[in-house]
Amino acid sequence: MKASLINRLDRLSVRLEELNHLLSSETVTADLDNFRKLSCEHAEIIPIVDLYHAFQQTESDIQTAQEMIADPELREFAEIEIQVGKDKLAEIEVELQKQLLPKDPNDERNIFLEIRAGTGGDESALFAGNLFRMYSRYAERCNWQVEIISQSPSDVGGYKEVIAKVIGQGAYSRLKFESGGHRVQRVPVTETQGRVHTSTCTVAVIPEADEINQVELNPAELRIDTFRASGAGGQHINKTDSAVRVTHLPTGIVVECQDGRSQHKNKAQAMSVLAARIHAKQMQAQQAEQAATRKSLVGTGERSERIRTYNFPQGRVTDHRINLTLYKIDQVMDGDIDEICAALMAEHQAAELAASMED
């Protein structure tokens, strides 16, 4: 193991001892914000230090086995122990490097989930509804909360567009690779001759900004319009201009929100979505330079990319970025997407690890 890596692990070991001391103090809960900060740091460090201790113990075991080689009766046993120990060291070192990879600062954030119908007309809108249900069911499994911000229902069901806020720890870390083009192949309910049609939807997963002030929103650069909400909602919807449309003039980003019953709530939600979209645009600009020199193995996440195909006649779901095919489309559409999310994260980590070793 490199000396720089050992020095870093030694510092983390010392820091863990400091955290153990601080968290055992009787006054630690006097400042709840600081307590939460220390607890999060402790939770992040302890698995790394545990791995480092396992590495050190394995090194000690190898040293003990090497001392046995001089004994003819123990030589064969010692050589086996040394080889097993070396293999274990290599595995632990790789895992340590993964654990020490820079964390995405957005991983623990809530997200805005945007699903839009693409090519395929009514069938595309129906599929957008299927995708929204899939993510909603996954959110239920993770004990996350889903709040619809804006929706444009299709006449035949599903959505032309739906935007929702998903609230839950780690939402972005698990769903950030879902951005892109999703393709469905199936026989539409309106098809009389049993032919398979292909339709598409786009999905965008945007991390929520900490606060609106994280993104500078100059009031002079905003146009805010109010209008009468459309769709279901009863007499209140028809009598008040509660819907809000916010346009960010420099970027041309437009956000509408009409699901809340009050104009004030809709404006706050729209501003929050706008801040997140601008923040995402800024992030994409920063990442463009890196993407130009080294493309991630899991794809760029651009909305124009076809990232996944849902083939109903064959009962399969294929993620094209990592060549993963699962023959359990019913379970996937019911929100069982953990296997896909985990595989994408593993591939991403492998790419990051390879890049860090090159650097």
Side-chain angles (χ1 to χ4, degrees), residues 218-230:
N218 184 347
E221 297 177 342
L222 301 177
R223 184 174 73 239
I224 300 176
D225 302 307
T226 58
F227 58 98
R228 194 155 298 175
S230 60

Side-chain angles (χ1 to χ4, degrees), residues 253-309:
I253 296 174
V254 180
V255 177
E256 290 185 3
C257 188
Q258 58 178 310
D259 268 43
R261 292 179 62 86
S262 75
Q263 186 183 115
H264 177 74
K265 181 178 179 182
N266 283 331
K267 181 181 177 181
Q269 289 278 35
M271 294 292 280
S272 182
V273 174
L274 177 63
R277 287 190 186 173
I278 293 173
H279 182 57
K281 193 178 184 70
Q282 292 170 346
M283 286 170 51
Q284 289 169 1
Q286 292 172 356
Q287 293 166 357
E289 294 181 10
Q290 300 172 6
T293 57
R294 183 173 59 236
K295 182 180 178 181
S296 169
L297 289 180
V298 298
T300 63
E302 291 298 323
R303 299 186 192 187
S304 59
E305 263 189 3
R306 183 195 69 186
I307 64 168
R308 192 174 301 145
T309 294

Side-chain angles (χ1 to χ4, degrees), residues 54-70 74-75 77-93:
F55 186 89
Q56 291 173 317
Q57 182 60 53
T58 303
E59 282 189 319
S60 177
D61 293 342
I62 291 174
Q63 181 61 38
T64 300
Q66 286 174 336
E67 294 171 359
M68 297 179 186
I69 289 181
L74 297 176
R75 176 183 293 274
F77 171 77
E79 288 176 346
I80 293 173
E81 287 295 298
I82 290 170
Q83 188 56 51
V84 169
K86 288 181 177 179
D87 292 342
K88 186 177 179 180
L89 281 182
E91 292 175 5
I92 295 175
E93 183 171 356

Side-chain angles (χ1 to χ4, degrees), residues 24 61 104 117 128 139 207 219 236 243 278 284 306 329 335 337-338 347:
S24 63
D61 293 342
D104 187 333
H236 171 84
I278 293 173
Q284 289 169 1
R306 183 195 69 186
I329 195 166
I337 60 174
D338 252 331
E347 195 76 10

Side-chain angles (χ1 to χ4, degrees), residues 177-206:
F177 299 118
E178 293 301 297
S179 293
H182 293 242
R183 181 175 71 173
V184 61
Q185 295 173 323
R186 64 183 176 187
V187 179
V189 292
T190 55
E191 171 59 53
T192 58
Q193 299 181 24
R195 293 175 299 184
V196 174
H197 288 222
T198 298
S199 304
T200 62
C201 290
T202 59
V203 174
V205 176
I206 304 172

Side-chain angles (χ1 to χ4, degrees), residues 324-342:
L324 173 69
T325 297
L326 301 176
Y327 287 91
K328 55 174 191 178
I329 195 166
D330 290 340
Q331 295 94 314
V332 167
M333 298 311 296
D334 195 43
D336 184 8
I337 60 174
D338 252 331
E339 188 173 351
I340 298 174
C341 294

